[in-house]
Amino acid sequence: MTSRAYHRLILPDGTVHEMVVVRFDAVGRFLDFHPLTAEEPFVEWRGGTLDLRR
């Protein structure tokens, strides 16, 4: 499992979330997300926007 932080996350339904940590499975599929409220261990900062509509 991999966790990455983004400034913005756009879900397939178009909903936008700001400052989030996104978790991916071993092959890179989206699992879930939660708000980034503090520094977290083992989270890679990516910044930018992750757009899941594509």
Side-chain angles (χ1 to χ4, degrees):
M1 183 176 62
T2 303
S3 295
R4 296 184 181 129
Y6 295 90
H7 282 109
R8 180 177 293 122
L9 169 66
I10 305 173
L11 296 175
D13 69 358
T15 304
V16 177
H17 297 272
E18 306 269 336
M19 300 302 288
V20 296
V21 174
V22 179
R23 291 188 326 134
F24 301 92
D25 68 11
V27 294
R29 289 181 295 222
F30 172 82
L31 294 174
D32 60 16
F33 72 96
H34 64 269
L36 177 64
T37 58
E39 188 171 331
E40 296 182 30
F42 308 108
V43 173
E44 177 185 350
W45 176 255
R46 284 293 183 96
T49 299
L50 174 61
D51 189 343
L52 298 177
R53 294 177 295 179
R54 301 179 223 147

